[in-house]
Amino acid sequence: MIYVYEKLLGYAEKLNIKNAKEHVVNNNIYGMDLDDVALKITILEVYKRSGIIPKNIVCGDFLFDVQDKFNLIIGNPPTWDIKFFLKIIEKN
């Protein structure tokens, strides 16, 4: 996520977007994870680089909790265990 933030910040600065750091953090970076510790580390890293506390990095299960549409999703493959398949069965 930090790599993506830095890339997007570079593009925003080239486009002369006002308050580029704030714009990228609030409008272009979204994160979700089940691991609360990983979320806190990511939030701290984004804050350390931008000075802005990201509001779009939250705890949850992206496979089941998100209804929004995104242009690009970057992530690790999900854990394919029995809990995953039980959730799919419950939804259907």
Side-chain angles (χ1 to χ4, degrees):
M1 174 139 346
I2 300 306
Y3 174 79
V4 171
Y5 163 76
E6 290 174 350
K7 284 298 226 183
L8 290 171
L9 180 60
Y11 295 137
E13 289 172 344
K14 285 181 184 177
L15 294 170
N16 294 320
I17 293 176
K18 290 183 180 182
N19 303 318
K21 290 180 180 182
E22 183 177 357
H23 177 80
V24 170
V25 170
N26 292 330
N27 299 298
N28 300 118
I29 300 289
Y30 295 83
M32 181 175 280
D33 200 316
L34 294 171
D35 184 349
D36 193 47
V37 174
L39 290 171
K40 289 176 182 174
I41 291 169
T42 303
I43 290 168
L44 286 171
E45 287 297 321
V46 171
Y47 176 75
K48 188 167 78 172
R49 286 169 171 75
S50 69
I52 310 229
I53 297 172
K55 305 282 191 251
N56 298 327
I57 300 175
V58 297
C59 189
D61 187 342
F62 187 82
L63 294 175
F64 298 103
D65 296 342
V66 175
Q67 303 299 320
D68 298 329
K69 294 182 180 180
F70 294 92
N71 294 326
L72 177 66
I73 299 171
I74 301 171
N76 298 326
T79 304
W80 298 98
D81 62 5
I82 189 67
K83 292 178 196 172
F84 174 76
F85 290 109
L86 289 175
K87 282 185 180 181
I88 290 174
I89 291 167
E90 289 172 8
K91 289 257 180 189
N92 295 320

